Amino acid sequence: MIRKRAIVTGDVQGVGFRWSAREAAHRLGVTGWARNRADGSVEAEVEGEPEQVDRMLDWLRTGPPGATVAGIHVSDTQPQGDDAFRIRETA
């Protein structure tokens, strides 16, 4: 089990990014959360088996229709044992 934090930049707010991320996470079998940040980016933490997490990170690199991802910064973080993927309040 691994966990990654991703900061996704570009036109990623106001396009359903977090809700689509939750659907993708459910489909891919990962847990964690996503939230908008005040700087216009989306932050997400993704937890699961390495292959599942990699697939979710690939999804984040593109996002939903309507999003334009300019970049993504990924870092390791400690697994939390989440039981679902949630949308959090804006940071």
Side-chain angles (χ1 to χ4, degrees):
M1 194 70 66
I2 65 169
R3 189 175 184 102
K4 301 280 186 175
R5 175 178 292 124
I7 307 295
V8 185
T9 58
D11 293 326
V12 294
Q13 290 189 14
V15 294
F17 199 100
R18 295 169 297 156
W19 286 271
S20 295
R22 183 174 59 188
E23 291 173 12
H26 179 71
R27 186 175 64 252
L28 295 170
V30 295
T31 62
W33 51 264
R35 66 181 172 192
N36 286 339
R37 291 169 32 126
D39 65 3
S41 65
V42 170
E43 179 179 14
E45 289 195 7
V46 181
E47 184 171 322
E49 295 302 321
E51 184 176 316
Q52 295 168 304
V53 170
D54 285 345
R55 283 193 214 142
M56 184 65 188
L57 292 174
D58 286 343
W59 185 92
L60 290 171
R61 287 182 176 91
T62 303
T68 303
V69 175
I72 181 172
H73 178 267
V74 178
S75 58
D76 295 326
T77 190
Q78 292 295 317
Q80 302 293 313
D82 294 333
D83 62 355
F85 192 93
R86 294 180 170 80
I87 296 171
R88 287 192 172 177
E89 294 293 319
T90 299

